[in-house]
Amino acid sequence: MSAFALPADAHPLIRQGYEYWLQVHPAENLLPGRQHVDPTAIPKLLSHIWMVDVQAEPLRFRYRLLGTAVRRITPSGEAVVGRWIDEVDTNFIASGRMEAFVQPVRNRAPCYRRGKPMFPLGLDHLTVERLFMPLAADGKIVDMLFCISLFLSTEQALMDPSE
């Protein structure tokens, strides 16, 4: 697993999700799997969570679950669950957006980003803060991404998250 450090100014909900992911690791050098994630242990995060299945060959990603906050902001909302991301977003691969999903699979480590939405949401006033964390049922081969996304107004994104 490669080194990863969450930025000190990460939103408290992102930090809570990351700390939970670290807490449920079954052992050093092994990744947690979906079987280790207990939704009742992270109730404040549930609406911001989404999960993506990872298919290894060929490498593809499928929406498994969208929390309510993510569903509200995602075009087609619940209709995307169970569908391949490259079918929902036909520009997913060519646009470079797929790389954000590949990175945590390849590195076996979380991937953090704060900035303008990468997906076309039609909401230019938003800043997205998100964390993709790899899950592996066998502890080694990433088969799912455990994701947390916060959709903040530009004003919210500029505030100190500790306030």
Side-chain angles (χ1 to χ4, degrees), residues 33-148:
R34 169 62 188 94
Q35 70 272 22
H36 299 107
V37 177
D38 176 7
T40 63
I42 48 175
K44 290 181 181 177
L45 298 178
L46 292 181
S47 69
H48 304 286
I49 288 175
W50 51 298
M51 291 189 162
V52 174
D53 290 322
V54 176
Q55 174 186 283
E57 293 294 328
L59 186 58
R60 285 184 87 188
F61 302 91
R62 181 178 31 231
Y63 290 108
R64 172 177 282 274
L65 173 134
L66 295 177
T68 56
V70 179
R71 220 180 7 247
R72 271 195 306 271
I73 208 84
T74 305
S76 308
E78 193 63 37
V80 302
V81 173
R83 295 183 58 201
W84 296 105
I85 296 176
D86 59 7
E87 290 175 351
V88 172
D89 175 6
T90 55
N91 201 27
F92 180 64
I93 297 168
S95 70
R97 289 189 285 269
M98 182 173 168
E99 183 56 30
F101 293 75
V102 172
Q103 188 178 344
V105 173
R106 184 186 321 119
N107 297 337
R108 298 181 68 240
C111 176
Y112 171 85
R113 180 177 179 276
R114 181 185 316 155
K116 291 290 176 197
M118 291 178 67
F119 285 86
L121 300 175
L123 302 167
D124 295 334
H125 67 284
L126 287 183
T127 294
V128 175
E129 188 168 352
R130 62 104 175 118
L131 182 65
F132 292 175
M133 297 166 284
L135 298 176
D138 66 357
K140 298 174 186 170
I141 299 170
V142 178
D143 56 8
M144 191 174 287
L145 296 177
F146 175 45
C147 311
I148 301 171

